[in-house]
PDB file of all heavy atoms in Angstrom:
ATOM      1  N   ALA L  24     -99.630  55.731 -91.723  1.00  0.00           N
ATOM      2  CA  ALA L  24     -99.680  54.339 -91.120  1.00  0.00           C
ATOM      3  C   ALA L  24    -100.480  53.419 -91.948  1.00  0.00           C
ATOM      4  O   ALA L  24    -100.151  52.270 -92.115  1.00  0.00           O
ATOM      5  CB  ALA L  24    -100.199  54.473 -89.720  1.00  0.00           C
ATOM      6  N   HIS L  25    -101.642  53.869 -92.475  1.00  0.00           N
ATOM      7  CA  HIS L  25    -102.509  52.923 -93.254  1.00  0.00           C
ATOM      8  C   HIS L  25    -101.951  52.512 -94.610  1.00  0.00           C
ATOM      9  O   HIS L  25    -102.470  51.632 -95.322  1.00  0.00           O
ATOM     10  CB  HIS L  25    -103.868  53.600 -93.414  1.00  0.00           C
ATOM     11  CG  HIS L  25    -103.966  54.830 -94.174  1.00  0.00           C
ATOM     12  ND1 HIS L  25    -103.951  54.860 -95.553  1.00  0.00           N
ATOM     13  CD2 HIS L  25    -103.899  56.156 -93.762  1.00  0.00           C
ATOM     14  CE1 HIS L  25    -103.989  56.074 -95.949  1.00  0.00           C
ATOM     15  NE2 HIS L  25    -103.903  56.977 -94.941  1.00  0.00           N
ATOM     16  N   ASP L  26    -100.818  53.278 -95.133  1.00  0.00           N
ATOM     17  CA  ASP L  26    -100.178  52.775 -96.374  1.00  0.00           C
ATOM     18  C   ASP L  26     -99.199  51.656 -96.121  1.00  0.00           C
ATOM     19  O   ASP L  26     -98.810  50.965 -97.144  1.00  0.00           O
ATOM     20  CB  ASP L  26     -99.338  53.884 -96.902  1.00  0.00           C
ATOM     21  CG  ASP L  26    -100.061  55.190 -97.256  1.00  0.00           C
ATOM     22  OD1 ASP L  26    -101.191  55.134 -97.648  1.00  0.00           O
ATOM     23  OD2 ASP L  26     -99.405  56.255 -96.871  1.00  0.00           O
ATOM     24  N   VAL L  27     -98.842  51.389 -94.844  1.00  0.00           N
ATOM     25  CA  VAL L  27     -97.662  50.500 -94.662  1.00  0.00           C
ATOM     26  C   VAL L  27     -97.744  49.152 -95.265  1.00  0.00           C
ATOM     27  O   VAL L  27     -96.857  48.672 -95.903  1.00  0.00           O
ATOM     28  CB  VAL L  27     -97.198  50.428 -93.124  1.00  0.00           C
ATOM     29  CG1 VAL L  27     -96.269  49.406 -92.862  1.00  0.00           C
ATOM     30  CG2 VAL L  27     -96.659  51.866 -92.680  1.00  0.00           C
ATOM     31  N   GLU L  28     -98.962  48.364 -95.014  1.00  0.00           N
ATOM     32  CA  GLU L  28     -98.973  47.045 -95.499  1.00  0.00           C
ATOM     33  C   GLU L  28     -98.848  46.999 -97.004  1.00  0.00           C
ATOM     34  O   GLU L  28     -98.081  46.165 -97.468  1.00  0.00           O
ATOM     35  CB  GLU L  28    -100.282  46.438 -94.964  1.00  0.00           C
ATOM     36  CG  GLU L  28    -100.303  45.764 -93.635  1.00  0.00           C
ATOM     37  CD  GLU L  28     -99.169  44.809 -93.411  1.00  0.00           C
ATOM     38  OE1 GLU L  28     -98.813  44.001 -94.332  1.00  0.00           O
ATOM     39  OE2 GLU L  28     -98.437  44.888 -92.311  1.00  0.00           O
ATOM     40  N   ALA L  29     -99.560  47.896 -97.739  1.00  0.00           N
ATOM     41  CA  ALA L  29     -99.455  47.864 -99.184  1.00  0.00           C
ATOM     42  C   ALA L  29     -98.010  48.121 -99.581  1.00  0.00           C
ATOM     43  O   ALA L  29     -97.482  47.561-100.552  1.00  0.00           O
ATOM     44  CB  ALA L  29    -100.380  48.918 -99.739  1.00  0.00           C
ATOM     45  N   LEU L  30     -97.290  49.111 -98.935  1.00  0.00           N
ATOM     46  CA  LEU L  30     -95.882  49.398 -99.360  1.00  0.00           C
ATOM     47  C   LEU L  30     -94.964  48.291 -98.972  1.00  0.00           C
ATOM     48  O   LEU L  30     -93.940  48.109 -99.685  1.00  0.00           O
ATOM     49  CB  LEU L  30     -95.508  50.690 -98.628  1.00  0.00           C
ATOM     50  CG  LEU L  30     -96.305  51.863 -99.179  1.00  0.00           C
ATOM     51  CD1 LEU L  30     -95.969  53.212 -98.387  1.00  0.00           C
ATOM     52  CD2 LEU L  30     -96.047  52.126-100.639  1.00  0.00           C
ATOM     53  N   LEU L  31     -95.230  47.396 -98.001  1.00  0.00           N
ATOM     54  CA  LEU L  31     -94.381  46.261 -97.715  1.00  0.00           C
ATOM     55  C   LEU L  31     -94.504  45.245 -98.843  1.00  0.00           C
ATOM     56  O   LEU L  31     -93.524  44.754 -99.224  1.00  0.00           O
ATOM     57  CB  LEU L  31     -94.833  45.570 -96.322  1.00  0.00           C
ATOM     58  CG  LEU L  31     -94.570  46.422 -95.125  1.00  0.00           C
ATOM     59  CD1 LEU L  31     -95.050  45.721 -93.921  1.00  0.00           C
ATOM     60  CD2 LEU L  31     -93.122  46.860 -94.857  1.00  0.00           C
ATOM     61  N   GLY L  32     -95.601  45.260 -99.450  1.00  0.00           N
ATOM     62  CA  GLY L  32     -95.799  44.451-100.759  1.00  0.00           C
ATOM     63  C   GLY L  32     -94.994  45.020-101.850  1.00  0.00           C
ATOM     64  O   GLY L  32     -94.397  44.267-102.725  1.00  0.00           O
ATOM     65  N   VAL L  33     -94.910  46.364-102.009  1.00  0.00           N
ATOM     66  CA  VAL L  33     -94.049  46.971-103.015  1.00  0.00           C
ATOM     67  C   VAL L  33     -92.592  46.486-102.803  1.00  0.00           C
ATOM     68  O   VAL L  33     -91.964  46.206-103.761  1.00  0.00           O
ATOM     69  CB  VAL L  33     -94.264  48.555-102.976  1.00  0.00           C
ATOM     70  CG1 VAL L  33     -93.371  49.082-104.028  1.00  0.00           C
ATOM     71  CG2 VAL L  33     -95.775  48.925-103.280  1.00  0.00           C
ATOM     72  N   PHE L  34     -92.197  46.745-101.604  1.00  0.00           N
ATOM     73  CA  PHE L  34     -90.793  46.285-101.254  1.00  0.00           C
ATOM     74  C   PHE L  34     -90.514  44.860-101.722  1.00  0.00           C
ATOM     75  O   PHE L  34     -89.605  44.468-102.273  1.00  0.00           O
ATOM     76  CB  PHE L  34     -90.502  46.515 -99.777  1.00  0.00           C
ATOM     77  CG  PHE L  34     -89.953  47.930 -99.471  1.00  0.00           C
ATOM     78  CD1 PHE L  34     -90.256  48.579 -98.311  1.00  0.00           C
ATOM     79  CD2 PHE L  34     -89.142  48.641-100.464  1.00  0.00           C
ATOM     80  CE1 PHE L  34     -89.747  49.865 -98.071  1.00  0.00           C
ATOM     81  CE2 PHE L  34     -88.763  49.932-100.173  1.00  0.00           C
ATOM     82  CZ  PHE L  34     -89.028  50.465 -98.907  1.00  0.00           C
ATOM     83  N   ALA L  35     -91.462  43.923-101.261  1.00  0.00           N
ATOM     84  CA  ALA L  35     -91.287  42.582-101.532  1.00  0.00           C
ATOM     85  C   ALA L  35     -91.240  42.175-102.964  1.00  0.00           C
ATOM     86  O   ALA L  35     -90.327  41.423-103.387  1.00  0.00           O
ATOM     87  CB  ALA L  35     -92.525  41.760-100.971  1.00  0.00           C
ATOM     88  N   ARG L  36     -91.985  42.861-103.865  1.00  0.00           N
ATOM     89  CA  ARG L  36     -91.946  42.614-105.305  1.00  0.00           C
ATOM     90  C   ARG L  36     -90.682  43.331-105.906  1.00  0.00           C
ATOM     91  O   ARG L  36     -90.035  42.778-106.735  1.00  0.00           O
ATOM     92  CB  ARG L  36     -93.219  43.135-105.924  1.00  0.00           C
ATOM     93  CG  ARG L  36     -94.471  42.265-105.596  1.00  0.00           C
ATOM     94  CD  ARG L  36     -95.709  42.752-106.283  1.00  0.00           C
ATOM     95  NE  ARG L  36     -96.228  44.007-105.766  1.00  0.00           N
ATOM     96  CZ  ARG L  36     -97.076  44.058-104.616  1.00  0.00           C
ATOM     97  NH1 ARG L  36     -97.316  42.983-103.985  1.00  0.00           N
ATOM     98  NH2 ARG L  36     -97.493  45.210-104.183  1.00  0.00           N
ATOM     99  N   ALA L  37     -90.371  44.519-105.366  1.00  0.00           N
ATOM    100  CA  ALA L  37     -89.221  45.159-106.042  1.00  0.00           C
ATOM    101  C   ALA L  37     -87.884  44.488-105.665  1.00  0.00           C
ATOM    102  O   ALA L  37     -87.004  44.484-106.452  1.00  0.00           O
ATOM    103  CB  ALA L  37     -89.237  46.591-105.517  1.00  0.00           C
ATOM    104  N   PHE L  38     -87.820  43.921-104.501  1.00  0.00           N
ATOM    105  CA  PHE L  38     -86.555  43.424-103.976  1.00  0.00           C
ATOM    106  C   PHE L  38     -86.516  41.894-104.072  1.00  0.00           C
ATOM    107  O   PHE L  38     -85.671  41.271-103.395  1.00  0.00           O
ATOM    108  CB  PHE L  38     -86.232  43.902-102.539  1.00  0.00           C
ATOM    109  CG  PHE L  38     -85.707  45.280-102.423  1.00  0.00           C
ATOM    110  CD1 PHE L  38     -86.631  46.353-102.278  1.00  0.00           C
ATOM    111  CD2 PHE L  38     -84.407  45.554-102.589  1.00  0.00           C
ATOM    112  CE1 PHE L  38     -86.245  47.584-102.219  1.00  0.00           C
ATOM    113  CE2 PHE L  38     -83.987  46.919-102.560  1.00  0.00           C
ATOM    114  CZ  PHE L  38     -84.842  47.966-102.376  1.00  0.00           C
TER     115      PHE L  38
END
Side-chain angles (χ1 to χ4, degrees):
H25 61 82
D26 301 321
V27 168
E28 272 311 315
L30 294 175
L31 294 177
V33 175
F34 273 147
R36 290 181 287 278
F38 284 92

